């Protein structure tokens, strides 16, 4: 049972480039989330989804986009990478009313 | 604006000692309070969680104390072990959407 799988694990982007962070879960969870973790700041919610076709903004959505076409996948898109987006990104999923399971994270550096 | 404030930022405890981490929240709509444990290079993992209908919850060596009137909750790690060395995050959400607001984290180091 893989749980929540994030790819890639590491990535270096140049300013202005775009990329998609992939997230897949095999637990049939309805809820999925994207967080970013910056040193000394805890995790902040970027976007979340309560089911296929439904997404909503979190606390820090600017510069990001998401889609949820299937229950399993919840990709995060960065269109014009900026140094402020250097962070560790975590995807999580949860069944309704229960704990969130986190992936291993993607460490992104924008130079 | 940090919705959940966590302290201390770091602590060092001897093996067998007690680690105490405190959190305070502002949003009275929060009704789910989990604690997550994170090891370097890994994602956070749920350690223990509490809902405001109880004042304390214990699982093994880990205890959450909850004070609804003060809007505070804390994690106590009893008989701390070197394997407990990690970063601990408190969090809060409503049970409507489970969008977690995290504290800034506490790095716990247990010395053998």
């Amino acid at each position: 049972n893989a749980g929540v799988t994030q790819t890639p694990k590491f990535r270096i982007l140049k300013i202005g480039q775009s990329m998609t962070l992939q997230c897949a879960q095999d637990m049939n969870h309805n809820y999925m989330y994207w967080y970013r973790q910056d040193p000394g700041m805890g995790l902040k919610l970027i976007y979340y989804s309560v089911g296929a076709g439904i997404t909503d903004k979190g606390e820090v959505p600017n510069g990001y986009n998401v889609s949820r076409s299937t229950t399993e996948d919840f990709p995060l898109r960065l269109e014009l990478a900026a140094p402020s987006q250097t962070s560790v990104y975590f995807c999580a999923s949860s069944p309704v009313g229960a704990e969130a399971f986190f992936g291993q994270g993607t460490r992104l550096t924008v130079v | 604006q940090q919705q959940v404030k966590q302290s201390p930022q770091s602590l060092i405890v001897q093996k067998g000692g007690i680690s105490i981490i405190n959190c305070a929240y502002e949003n009275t709509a929060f009704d789910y309070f989990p604690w997550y444990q994170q090891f370097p290079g890994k994602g956070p993992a749920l350690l223990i969680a509490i809902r405001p209908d109880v004042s304390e919850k214990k699982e093994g060596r880990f205890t959450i104390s909850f004070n609804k009137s003060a809007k505070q909750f804390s994690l106590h790690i009893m008989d701390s072990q070197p394997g407990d060395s990690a970063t601990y995050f408190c969090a809060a959400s409503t049970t409507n959407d489970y969008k977690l607001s995290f504290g800034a984290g506490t790095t716990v180091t247990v010395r053998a």
Side-chain angles (χ1 to χ4, degrees):
Chain A
N1 189 345
V4 179
T5 302
Q6 291 184 237
T7 55
K9 287 185 169 52
F10 303 93
R11 183 73 185 268
I12 298 174
L13 275 183
K14 293 184 178 179
I15 295 172
Q17 287 185 322
S18 61
M19 77 164 293
T20 299
L21 282 66
Q22 301 292 345
C23 176
Q25 54 96 3
D26 61 0
M27 297 174 283
N28 200 33
H29 289 169
N30 286 324
Y31 288 23
M32 294 189 76
Y33 311 85
W34 275 105
Y35 291 89
R36 60 176 287 173
Q37 183 176 25
D38 300 304
M41 298 293 290
L43 287 82
K44 294 192 182 297
L45 182 64
I46 305 171
Y47 271 95
Y48 71 103
S49 169
V50 298
I54 306 170
T55 63
D56 207 348
K57 296 178 181 179
E59 186 180 356
V60 290
N62 292 344
Y64 308 94
N65 278 301
V66 294
S67 59
R68 182 100 182 266
S69 57
T70 67
T71 299
E72 294 78 19
D73 300 300
F74 191 40
L76 178 71
R77 179 84 177 163
L78 283 71
E79 290 295 348
L80 290 170
S84 62
Q85 293 177 306
T86 294
S87 188
V88 181
Y89 292 84
F90 287 100
C91 178
S93 73
S94 70
V96 177
E99 69 173 282
F101 293 83
F102 283 79
Q104 298 286 295
T106 294
R107 185 174 296 274
L108 176 68
T109 302
V110 182
V111 296
Chain B
Q1 183 181 356
Q2 197 90 17
Q3 291 204 61
V4 179
K5 295 184 179 179
Q6 183 172 348
S7 63
Q9 186 174 2
S10 63
L11 67 90
I12 299 173
V13 63
Q14 292 296 120
K15 180 181 176 181
I18 302 173
S19 303
I20 301 174
I21 306 169
N22 300 300
C23 286
Y25 64 97
E26 291 296 324
N27 188 345
T28 56
F30 287 153
D31 57 359
Y32 174 65
F33 302 90
W35 285 88
Y36 279 81
Q37 181 187 55
Q38 184 180 33
F39 294 104
K42 303 293 186 183
L46 181 69
L47 190 62
I48 185 173
I50 197 169
R51 297 177 195 269
D53 53 341
V54 297
S55 60
E56 186 174 284
K57 183 175 181 180
K58 183 177 180 179
E59 290 186 2
R61 297 184 292 108
F62 300 92
T63 299
I64 298 179
S65 297
F66 183 79
N67 186 330
K68 188 175 181 178
S69 61
K71 292 186 289 184
Q72 295 176 348
F73 57 112
S74 61
L75 176 70
H76 293 222
I77 307 174
M78 314 299 288
D79 187 25
S80 296
Q81 300 296 311
D84 297 332
S85 295
T87 299
Y88 293 82
F89 293 94
C90 62
S93 75
T94 69
T95 49
N96 180 45
D97 53 29
Y98 289 92
K99 296 189 298 180
L100 294 168
S101 292
F102 282 85
T106 297
T107 300
V108 173
T109 302
V110 182
R111 298 227 190 274

